[in-house]
Amino acid sequence: MKVDDTAYRTIWVPEDGWSVVIIDQTRLPHEFAQVGLRTVEDAARAIEIMQVRGAPLIGATAAYGMALAMHEDPGDSSLAAALQRLGRTRPTAVNLRWALEEMRRVLEPLGENARTAAAYARAAALCDEDVAINRQIGEHGLAVIRAAAAGKPDGQVNVLTHCNAGWLATVDWGTATSPIYQAHDAGMNIHVWVDETRPRNQGASLTAWELGRHGVPHTVIADNVGGHLMQHGKVDLCITGTDRTTARGDVANKIGTYLKALAAFDNDVPFYVALPSPTIDWTIEDGVASIPIEERSAEEVSHMTGRTESGTIETVSIVPEGSACANFAFDVTPARLVTGLITERGIAAASREGLAGLFPERADG
Amino acid sequence: MKVDDTAYRTIWVPEDGWSVVIIDQTRLPHEFAQVGLRTVEDAARAIEIMQVRGAPLIGATAAYGMALAMHEDPGDSSLAAALQRLGRTRPTAVNLRWALEEMRRVLEPLGENARTAAAYARAAALCDEDVAINRQIGEHGLAVIRAAAAGKPDGQVNVLTHCNAGWLATVDWGTATSPIYQAHDAGMNIHVWVDETRPRNQGASLTAWELGRHGVPHTVIADNVGGHLMQHGKVDLCITGTDRTTARGDVANKIGTYLKALAAFDNDVPFYVALPSPTIDWTIEDGVASIPIEERSAEEVSHMTGRTESGTIETVSIVPEGSACANFAFDVTPARLVTGLITERGIAAASREGLAGLFPERADG
């Protein structure tokens, strides 16, 4: 999407033809900085320290990480080591494993001479596929927003979203934001409630930033606020992304998504989850029981980074010395709370039948 | 309760016999500072800028604010002006209006010569009554904690609380924390999940601080986390405070309480609300429809204050320039989600019948 009227993707190969450039998302919203990746270790670290995050972008970065590994050494042991190194960067996102499996499938049968070019080609294609998928998600989601607008006298649609399932989480368009950008670009009166999304503040720092740069009206709220807004008719629909969706439609997403889904259900507010089909894990049914939930550093809870009045970036401690903090990164929203799953092929009911109807060739696998 | 082995209340008259000392809660957890109030305007400002907060302590501070006004000028116009000034400090807490009404009832009939002494005496009595009430709340709540412990092999009880309904929110003991302190002091194995409570972080900065200073094991979590913990059996019960409870048991409390109540209901976790009876507003039934919800400054959302590594207190901006923020301070939890109301007279069902059974003389009024 656009930043200061220039169109960007979140990951690309610059003029040198082999290195990889990403946007350093840990420095947003205060600085729009780009970082070059030159080794598979660079790519793995960028995923781990969340310079890139969001399930689709993690997958794309892992794919380019494999290309960097092949650029350095296309041998079998390098290939195996790169798959292993990248595979252990983040435990929850299924796209990571999907992208690495795809790279393995393409690269393993090839001779060493052919691997590097094939790796870059497959990584680039994987990015293009992500963009196409997200554009399609937006088209299907736009119909939901149009329907909501039709029911309101002023045509204004208030969408609540959690975390960042924006273009910054993907290669372009975003998942949850794709319908929002398409509605805005079509001239609709759309306003977004942006959950701050503690502890890493991806809503306040990333979603608000990208919506603002693209010109979409939005308001940042604490994660505690959504239920109150829904009780008072100030939310027309919720759209979030997901890091992993089970075969029956349970949805693992950023911690706190479950609480918003409960509030939406309690107030008859439609709750949609936007997802590219690689996010579906056809091997599991019960998300609460089966999806491993990443625990991250307590410092993400106890400390907060921002910009001081004098313009410097400073990190401050916000808990008392000696108090422990716990940091669970995701939670699982049961399918019963999800109105629909917005995929590149259309909107499915959050159920095995719903998903299998849209993806019969995967559901049978 | 204790701070560094010294027992404190949150508000008291020092040796001069007429000024009023409070703990500046805006400087916790980084600094334990005391502030002297000398005028009714000092008291009003302390409430507005939340140097004191929590429904019972707001009431106590307003009562002492009336005493300071009478100390300055015990005339009728001073009395009326002080009632008005203090009455407009915070819109949601019912204790504020209750305390001011009580001071009016005592002071208006008196001659000017008698008003000052009567005001100090009534304010002091009101504080003592608050302490006694909260001790009783703790005794009734302790039975709930004992029952939870009896059902667990290791006897450990994990209590989740939101915001600060601790001794800092009252004159002493706290409301939600009173059962917790009593359980801890009785040697029980109790651990508290402390919701950070954005945007003002009263959980992370006040509840964690007071529990830590008293030695109660606790863990600070982002507000997004409670649902996940409940899905995985890591919360045995929730106890929160309330700023206003309706005659049928709807509960207005810090924004986000409703979301935790939904999660507790969805996971069969008991959800208790601890309250002194002055918090009950017998004049209204439907809390969502009838309780005004205070909107506070956007800066409380967009900025965060904490301690830098070098020890200075710094405020940082955490949202992009140009992004709007909204700041609703409370939400309403419908009675249907509340397991019980822990009052100074015992535990009531969250219903008109439940409350009227414990407070027949008020319910009839």
Side-chain angles (χ1 to χ4, degrees), chain B residues 245-249 275 280 282 285 335 338-343 345-361 363:
Chain B
T245 303
T246 74
R248 76 177 186 197
L275 58 123
I280 304 168
W282 297 97
E285 296 281 337
V338 177
T339 307
L341 301 169
I342 310 174
T343 77
R345 292 194 189 167
I347 299 177
S351 64
R352 173 164 270 286
E353 299 68 36
L355 282 170
L358 285 185
F359 300 94
E361 80 286 9

Side-chain angles (χ1 to χ4, degrees), chain B residues 192-230:
Chain B
V192 185
W193 295 109
V194 178
D195 271 1
E196 176 183 40
T197 318
R198 288 281 294 147
R200 289 186 62 92
N201 297 20
Q202 292 97 329
S205 60
L206 303 179
T207 304
W209 180 84
E210 63 165 87
L211 291 174
R213 286 297 171 105
H214 197 83
V216 180
H218 63 281
T219 305
V220 177
I221 49 174
D223 300 307
N224 286 318
V225 177
H228 169 73
L229 294 177
M230 293 186 219

Side-chain angles (χ1 to χ4, degrees), chain A residues 269-355:
Chain A
V269 172
F271 190 92
Y272 287 94
V273 178
L275 59 122
S277 61
T279 307
I280 305 168
D281 184 342
W282 297 97
T283 68
I284 57 176
E285 296 282 336
D286 180 342
V288 173
S290 307
I291 297 178
I293 300 297
E294 179 179 5
E295 283 190 68
R296 296 182 55 86
S297 158
E299 283 216 351
E300 293 184 353
V301 181
S302 64
H303 288 70
M304 182 85 83
T305 299
R307 194 186 52 229
T308 65
E309 211 169 324
S310 63
T312 59
I313 303 302
E314 189 79 66
T315 297
V316 296
S317 163
I318 55 173
V319 303
E321 279 183 55
S323 286
C325 297
N327 185 9
F328 298 90
F330 301 91
D331 64 18
V332 173
T333 299
R336 65 186 150 85
L337 302 175
V338 178
T339 307
L341 301 169
I342 310 175
T343 76
E344 68 269 27
R345 292 194 188 166
I347 299 177
S351 64
R352 173 162 273 286
E353 300 67 36
L355 282 170

